[in-house]
Amino acid sequence: IFIQPAAFVGVHGLTLATLLLAAAGTGSWRCRLGCVAALLAWAGFGALRLAGPAPIPPDLTAVLVQGNVPQGNKWNRDLALSIFHRYLRLTRDGVAAVHGPAVVVWPETAYPFLLDRDAPERAAIIEAADGASALIGSVRLDEHGRPRNALFAVQAGGAMTGVYDKWHLVPFGEYQPDWLPLPIQVVPGGGFAPGPGPRTLHLPGLPPVGPLICYEAIFGAQLVDRADRPAWLVNVTNDAWFGNSAGPRQHLAAARMRAVEEGLPLLRAANTGISAAFDAHGHEVAGLGLGQAGTLEVPVPGALPPTVFARLGLWGPGVLASMLLALGLLWRTPRHVEDESKSN
């Protein structure tokens, strides 16, 4: 209930409201009474939004594959073939439980080779998927020979029908920032090349999809192409770096908030977990925990109309913060309060 106003003001607005309520709660009884009223209104709005008509879902089931490959094994050349076969086996098992149209989703860099150069392996993926479309995380080399963290769309016969390149790269992990010159090269070869930005993939037989790779899911208002709104979001990630810590759980919570902000379902395939699916209200409709190998077969939920936050982005919380800043600068303590404080 309490996260539903994010559809209007985003997580930044929720944070601002939380701080204001905490501060007001230390004031007079009138302030505290106002806090109670604000919380009731907050909860009431959330309940009202959740009581609205449910969006119509597409006739599509997503098979989210969680391979559970330890970070130390992901780039081990001796294990690459066995990792690939593990994903093929999990894909067969997941698709076998689905009746009707399906799409298979593998996590970030799940394919351990260069997928765009491996036509037989793409065909093997589609065969394992029993002809269903597949969204596969892999690395590719661009025209300059630089690697890109990519999500490939593979369809009938192993044909590549779309590709998305990650554009929000991790500093010092995926690239070395130019704005911080260092005497040594922290990221070999300069790291990954960034993609052009948010993109909606239009693939035959599938509703338009907005891809997010790894921590791109933490950037509110920077997820989708505003001129080409998708019908659902897919987040592929590898959180194996963080082990059984707060990291995968925080990442999951951030992805959930993006679904509420945008009014779009978000489906998440994570290498070691947590894989999950959220509807457009942020309800978790399926999940697969940390450290498990398996699949989730999830009917893709429907999309809501564009939210206020989806239309305005950070302008809404930005205006609210500016108004409060101006109010704080113009605020004057009453004279009698100042005199009383000095006398004490």
Side-chain angles (χ1 to χ4, degrees):
I1 287 178
F2 284 97
I3 65 173
Q4 295 308 310
F8 282 76
V9 293
V11 70
H12 306 85
L14 296 188
T15 303
L16 179 60
T18 302
L19 292 174
L20 289 175
L21 288 171
T26 63
S28 66
W29 67 269
R30 291 185 180 86
C31 289
R32 295 174 186 175
L33 188 60
C35 285
V36 173
L39 283 172
L40 290 175
W42 190 338
F45 172 83
L48 185 64
R49 187 168 188 267
L50 291 175
I56 300 174
D59 181 20
L60 180 67
T61 298
V63 178
L64 309 179
V65 184
Q66 184 168 301
N68 194 34
V69 179
Q71 187 59 37
N73 294 347
K74 269 186 64 66
W75 303 113
N76 187 325
R77 293 294 89 186
D78 295 332
L79 300 176
L81 193 57
S82 65
I83 290 172
F84 177 54
H85 285 293
R86 177 189 302 189
Y87 272 99
L88 291 179
R89 175 178 53 80
L90 290 170
T91 297
R92 291 189 191 95
D93 293 343
V95 171
V98 175
H99 302 284
V103 58
V104 173
V105 184
W106 287 14
E108 176 188 19
T109 60
Y111 183 73
F113 307 107
L114 298 175
L115 186 62
D116 55 339
R117 301 185 179 185
D118 296 340
E121 285 72 18
R122 296 198 305 271
I125 292 172
I126 297 304
E127 181 182 0
D130 196 23
S133 301
L135 300 174
I136 308 295
S138 183
V139 173
R140 75 181 186 94
L141 300 180
D142 65 15
E143 61 275 13
H144 304 294
R146 288 191 64 185
R148 292 185 180 234
N149 193 345
L151 183 68
F152 290 94
V154 183
Q155 296 190 283
M160 291 193 308
T161 55
V163 62
Y164 168 80
D165 294 319
K166 183 178 181 181
W167 67 285
H168 259 306
L169 299 177
V170 181
F172 303 109
E174 292 178 311
Y175 79 104
Q176 186 164 324
D178 296 333
W179 47 264
L180 187 61
L182 295 173
I184 59 173
Q185 191 173 67
V186 178
V187 183
F192 286 83
R199 182 185 176 193
T200 299
L201 295 181
H202 293 268
L203 307 171
L206 298 180
V209 56
L212 307 169
I213 296 179
C214 195
Y215 93 141
E216 288 183 324
I218 73 172
F219 295 97
Q222 300 181 43
L223 307 184
V224 304
D225 181 351
R226 299 296 170 194
D228 188 12
R229 178 175 165 84
W232 59 301
L233 301 172
V234 61
N235 177 213
V236 297
T237 187
N238 172 38
D239 289 344
W241 301 93
F242 304 106
N244 188 6
S245 68
R249 296 170 175 87
Q250 289 176 335
H251 197 184
L252 181 73
R256 178 192 186 194
M257 191 67 73
R258 303 293 86 78
V260 179
E261 289 175 346
E262 296 291 336
L264 292 173
L266 185 147
L267 283 75
R268 185 173 192 264
N271 169 31
T272 55
I274 305 167
S275 296
F278 300 102
D279 68 14
H281 287 114
H283 290 130
E284 182 175 327
V285 296
L288 186 60
L290 282 172
Q292 303 178 44
T295 60
L296 285 176
E297 296 79 44
V298 190
V300 176
L304 292 168
T307 63
V308 172
F309 186 81
R311 296 178 185 277
L312 299 181
L314 297 179
W315 280 102
V319 168
L320 290 175
S322 299
M323 291 171 60
L324 288 172
L325 177 61
L327 183 62
L329 293 174
L330 296 173
W331 184 267
R332 293 291 183 270
T333 304
R335 176 68 63 182
H336 70 275
V337 175
E338 291 183 352
D339 294 340
E340 185 178 340
S341 63
K342 290 179 181 177
S343 65
N344 293 334

